[in-house]
Amino acid sequence: MAEGRRPDEGEQFEARGRYTVIPRTLVFLRHGGDVLLLKGAPTKRLWANRYNGLGGQVEPGETIEAAARREVREEAGIAEITDLALRALVNLAGEPHGVLLCVFTGAAPTRAVAPSAEGVPEWIPVADLARVDLVDDPAVVARILASDRLLYGYRPAGAARFVLE
């Protein structure tokens, strides 16, 4: 046993039949009355040609916030974000594991964006969310954008969209 390590410390990382989740981020940036969405590349396995916030996996050794900022840089070329705040934690159930989606909102001081292999970032008026092919329910996205507190949600296995409590 490593010096200073408790005997049960390693056990917390062993699933042993327990439900496990992979942490991911989802970011909705605002600029004025618009929200930045990523129109997924036509070659994407998931959500090709559909709109979603920016985000992705959390890398080892990275905080959730750092992952959110990195994903925005990689997917839209935006290096500066103000007022970044965690607004929702959503358990996306799945087998053999689920996803813990950490949803952030923030503001972009510029509208300048750059496409990436993930897709094309586009500024969409919040009032027009229901008019685009959005991965998640437009009402849920609008609720996250308007919230000033942490929301909690879930998506049962096999469901198309998540719900907030």
Side-chain angles (χ1 to χ4, degrees):
M1 172 180 359
E3 187 174 312
R5 183 173 157 196
R6 294 181 15 224
D8 61 342
E9 192 173 78
E11 293 177 16
Q12 69 179 325
F13 298 107
E14 296 175 14
R16 286 198 239 182
R18 295 183 193 137
Y19 177 66
T20 59
V21 295
I22 297 171
R24 291 208 173 114
T25 64
L26 181 63
V27 182
F28 294 103
L29 292 183
R30 305 248 345 225
H31 188 93
D34 297 341
V35 62
L36 185 61
L37 298 177
L38 186 73
K39 183 174 184 183
T43 56
K44 285 186 73 167
R45 183 177 62 84
L46 295 174
W47 308 302
N49 297 309
R50 296 188 72 197
Y51 289 87
N52 201 359
L54 291 80
Q57 293 187 358
V58 177
E59 300 296 335
E62 187 175 49
T63 68
I64 303 292
E65 179 183 353
R69 290 180 184 278
R70 176 185 49 76
E71 289 288 348
V72 169
R73 254 189 333 274
E74 291 175 0
E75 294 182 358
I78 295 176
E80 186 180 345
I81 301 170
T82 59
D83 302 323
L84 187 66
L86 182 62
R87 288 293 177 232
L89 292 173
V90 183
N91 179 15
L92 307 175
E95 290 294 331
H97 57 263
V99 169
L100 179 61
L101 189 60
C102 303
V103 185
F104 290 84
T105 62
T110 178
R111 294 178 70 84
V113 294
S116 70
E118 293 293 318
V120 178
E122 295 180 27
W123 291 102
I124 306 291
V126 173
D128 291 345
L129 285 175
R131 294 188 184 118
V132 298
D133 187 12
L134 197 58
V135 169
D136 293 306
D137 183 343
V140 169
V141 174
R143 184 171 169 206
I144 290 168
L145 288 169
S147 180
D148 61 355
R149 67 177 186 86
L150 187 59
L151 303 169
Y152 302 93
Y154 66 94
R155 184 193 72 199
R161 294 181 170 177
F162 67 81
V163 296
L164 295 175
E165 295 179 342

